[in-house]
Amino acid sequence: MLQLRDRDLLAQISADNPETFLDVIKNEVDGTEYTFGVPYIAQSLILYYNTQYITETQAQSWEGIWDAAKTADKYAMTVTDTDGYNNSFLLLSTVAETGYSSLKLYEDGSLENNYVLGDDRIATMKWGQRFF
């Protein structure tokens, strides 16, 4: 699990996000509070990169990142819809020819009537895990 330690980033996270975000990214261990996540789709923007392929100087600009990626023959992508949910496009996908999906979300308006265990949903999510 990643623990955030950069004081500037921690200050930015605290300054830019409401308490409801902050409550779920922190935890106390042996009396010490730790931050384990950055709120997603919020003001705290963060870039993760592998220092094996890119230098700190290169990571300071998109041009530097692009140059490092070309040199190392590496690619990256992000997949997020405007709804802010990662991989929702996989979960909500259907069979192109028939429109079928075994997915059931809040069927008949019931909060307890959800089904995401069909073979088609599992296969699609596994494909997404392998691809990304």
Side-chain angles (χ1 to χ4, degrees), residues 7 21-22 30 35 37 41 50 66 74 89 113 126-128:
R7 293 194 187 285
F21 279 37
L22 301 177
D30 293 330
T35 300
I41 304 294
N50 187 330
W66 182 247
K74 297 295 177 189
F89 72 100
N113 198 1
K126 282 186 172 184
W127 174 87

Side-chain angles (χ1 to χ4, degrees), residues 57-91:
T57 301
Q58 287 172 313
Q60 292 177 11
S61 72
W62 291 116
E63 293 80 8
I65 293 170
W66 182 247
D67 288 342
K70 286 192 295 188
T71 299
D73 194 31
K74 297 295 177 189
Y75 302 87
M77 67 176 67
T78 179
V79 179
T80 302
D81 196 7
T82 55
D83 61 9
Y85 292 100
N86 294 325
N87 296 318
S88 65
F89 72 100
L90 293 170
L91 184 66

Side-chain angles (χ1 to χ4, degrees), residues 5-98:
R5 295 187 177 127
D6 182 277
R7 293 194 187 285
D8 291 337
L9 177 59
L10 290 169
Q12 178 188 351
I13 291 168
S14 292
D16 292 347
N17 294 283
E19 282 298 318
T20 53
F21 279 37
L22 301 177
D23 289 345
V24 298
I25 64 169
K26 295 181 179 186
N27 201 350
E28 192 170 298
V29 178
D30 293 330
T32 302
E33 184 178 82
Y34 294 95
T35 300
F36 293 102
V38 176
Y40 184 68
I41 304 294
Q43 299 302 314
S44 300
L45 303 178
I46 188 166
L47 171 67
Y48 292 99
Y49 58 90
N50 187 330
T51 57
Q52 180 179 349
Y53 303 108
I54 186 170
T55 67
E56 189 173 327
T57 301
Q58 287 172 313
Q60 292 177 11
S61 72
W62 291 116
E63 293 80 8
I65 293 170
W66 182 247
D67 288 342
K70 286 192 295 188
T71 299
D73 194 31
K74 297 295 177 189
Y75 302 87
M77 67 176 67
T78 179
V79 179
T80 302
D81 196 7
T82 55
D83 61 9
Y85 292 100
N86 294 325
N87 296 318
S88 65
F89 72 100
L90 293 170
L91 184 66
L92 301 173
S93 66
T94 62
V95 175
E97 294 80 15
T98 64

